[in-house]
Amino acid sequence: MPKIGVFIETAEQAIKKSVPGVITVALQGGEVVGFVLDGLAEKYKETLEKFGVTQLVNLCAPDIEFSKHPEAAGLALAQGVKAFGASALVGVSSPTGNDLLARAAMELKAPLALDCIDVDFKENQVKKSHFSGKAIATIEMKADCFVIGIRPNSFEAVPKPMACTITDHHITAATDEGITIIAVKKPDTAVKDLTEASVIITGGRPMGSNENFKILEECARTMDAAVGASRAAVDAGYVPHSMQVGQTGKIVSPKLYIGCGLSGSVQHFAGMKTSDVIVAINTDKDAPIFTKSDYGIIGDLFEVVPALTKALKK
Ligand SMILES: Cc1cc2nc3c(=O)[nH]c(=O)nc-3n(C[C@H](O)[C@H](O)[C@H](O)COP(=O)(O)OP(=O)(O)OC[C@H]3O[C@@H](n4cnc5c(N)ncnc54)[C@H](O)[C@@H]3O)c2cc1C
């Protein structure tokens, strides 16, 4: 049976939320070997074996802290793929995933496709959204081994309990003196990560101020949602760029996307059109967003959102 390597991305000793969905996809291609870079495979085993991982590998290089040396981390993943005979390496298309998967692909001299929304291991094909979501490209990966990043939340994680073994694999990665990550500025812990959120509520230009975003935050808390913004709201200085959704912001794919005061620009849709359900709140019944949404509420967001929050609190 073919083996598919999965980069088990973690942050602060916790598995990233989108990893189980990636494992579910990888299982379509064969047995899953999970590669762990922080040496904590034992800690993650219980969770990962519930989703079908049969082998977990601690990639070890005693003198190297992989979180500070992405070039060594990429090399370690590539060496893991080779040592365990995986025919593909799959990970989450997060900022870290995109960085390390690209480095691993370079080491493996393997084709790379990031931000994939579908994979067909039988045909060695992936699907990606192109031209701001106007077209879906089907790409053939013409090689014995290829590397792919999956758009977060694109696949539902399906439990598949399996027994999992743990192996330590020592790699020969060397650090490149040219790159050392010396500090990582963590986002405000009160702000939920947009790319991993199952529900997102986003404010557009009519939000009018940073203060007004509090009504979205309050509503978000009732649903364990993340708060996003359009570029118009970001450019106006109401919220930071890290909250921007769209072509030049974050690409998101939640189960539910609630757009408040968004006109429905193609650039905004490029970042959220793969959401399962889109709800739009807009005062203008002719706003383009209504033609692209599953549900529309014609109304003032400053009345509708507090009413929604009240209803959700009940
Ligand atoms: C190269 C390029 C890249 C871009 N990248 C991005 C990107 O990544 N993300 C992005 O978002 N944009 C991006 N843009 C900008 C994009 O073209 C739009 O200008 C922007 O998305 C509009 O933001 P908006 O919908 O918040 O504002 P507007 O277009 O001004 O729409 C506001 C809407 O709110 C409605 N409204 C007004 N008051 C209320 C109220 N009280 N209650 C409810 N509804 C109300 C109005 O009817 C209107 O439809 C990009 C543009 C370019 C050229």
Side-chain angles (χ1 to χ4, degrees):
M1 191 169 190
K3 284 186 180 173
I4 307 294
V6 172
F7 166 39
I8 307 296
E9 188 179 337
T10 60
E12 297 179 349
Q13 304 193 1
I15 300 163
K16 291 283 255 178
K17 207 179 136 214
S18 302
V19 169
V22 168
I23 293 167
T24 298
V25 179
L27 281 167
Q28 294 170 12
E31 232 171 79
V32 167
V33 183
F35 295 118
V36 175
L37 287 171
D38 61 6
L40 297 175
E42 191 64 53
K43 182 173 163 66
Y44 308 136
K45 179 175 177 264
E46 197 184 329
T47 305
L48 295 171
E49 64 187 0
K50 279 188 203 144
F51 290 99
V53 176
T54 39
Q55 194 168 15
L56 259 185
V57 181
N58 276 317
L59 295 170
C60 322
D63 302 328
I64 303 173
E65 214 177 314
F66 288 127
S67 60
K68 291 187 176 165
H69 294 281
E71 80 294 352
L75 192 61
L77 287 171
Q79 289 188 13
V81 167
K82 280 186 195 159
F84 289 84
S87 54
L89 174 65
V90 190
V92 180
S93 252
S94 62
T96 302
N98 288 346
D99 181 14
L100 300 191
L101 293 170
R103 290 172 188 280
M106 189 185 70
E107 289 299 330
L108 291 164
K109 298 198 173 18
L112 167 76
L114 297 173
D115 200 30
C116 299
I117 51 172
D118 206 357
V119 187
D120 181 341
F121 285 100
K122 278 196 195 100
E123 301 294 331
N124 277 15
Q125 287 179 352
V126 297
K127 283 194 178 3
K128 283 187 63 160
S129 141
H130 274 207
F131 305 115
S132 301
K134 289 192 201 76
I136 303 291
T138 302
I139 300 171
E140 190 178 348
M141 311 296 275
K142 286 187 168 175
D144 294 338
C145 178
F146 55 88
V147 181
I148 46 183
I150 304 287
R151 180 179 288 191
N153 290 340
S154 296
F155 293 90
E156 189 82 35
V158 179
K160 188 179 181 206
M162 299 286 262
C164 173
T165 58
I166 294 182
T167 316
D168 285 349
H169 180 70
H170 291 267
I171 55 122
T172 55
T175 55
D176 176 344
E177 292 304 314
I179 306 169
T180 304
I181 296 173
I182 48 173
V184 175
K185 195 174 167 212
K186 296 201 178 98
D188 178 352
T189 47
V191 179
K192 231 177 129 51
D193 183 359
L194 270 176
T195 53
E196 296 234 302
S198 305
V199 182
I200 294 176
I201 182 164
T202 293
R205 195 191 306 270
M207 292 311 297
S209 68
N210 177 271
E211 182 67 21
N212 285 342
F213 264 83
K214 286 194 179 139
I215 66 163
L216 300 190
E217 285 162 19
E218 198 186 343
C219 187
R221 274 194 292 276
T222 65
M223 305 181 275
D224 193 26
V227 179
S230 72
R231 177 160 161 180
V234 170
D235 285 352
Y238 307 151
V239 286
H241 180 260
S242 57
M243 287 170 68
Q244 184 177 316
V245 173
Q247 186 183 325
T248 45
K250 300 244 166 79
I251 307 284
V252 298
S253 204
K255 285 192 191 319
L256 173 64
Y257 191 89
I258 307 174
C260 311
L262 303 175
S263 54
S265 67
V266 284
Q267 293 89 355
H268 191 82
F269 260 74
M272 41 62 81
K273 70 182 289 180
T274 50
S275 304
D276 284 356
V277 176
I278 300 171
V279 178
I281 304 169
N282 198 304
T283 43
D284 177 5
K285 69 176 176 39
D286 297 320
I289 194 162
F290 285 135
T291 63
K292 306 171 185 173
S293 304
D294 299 288
Y295 298 94
I297 301 170
I298 302 165
D300 185 334
L301 75 92
F302 293 102
E303 290 169 15
V304 177
V305 175
L308 182 63
T309 309
K310 204 171 156 194
L312 285 164
K313 276 184 180 167
K314 274 191 191 163

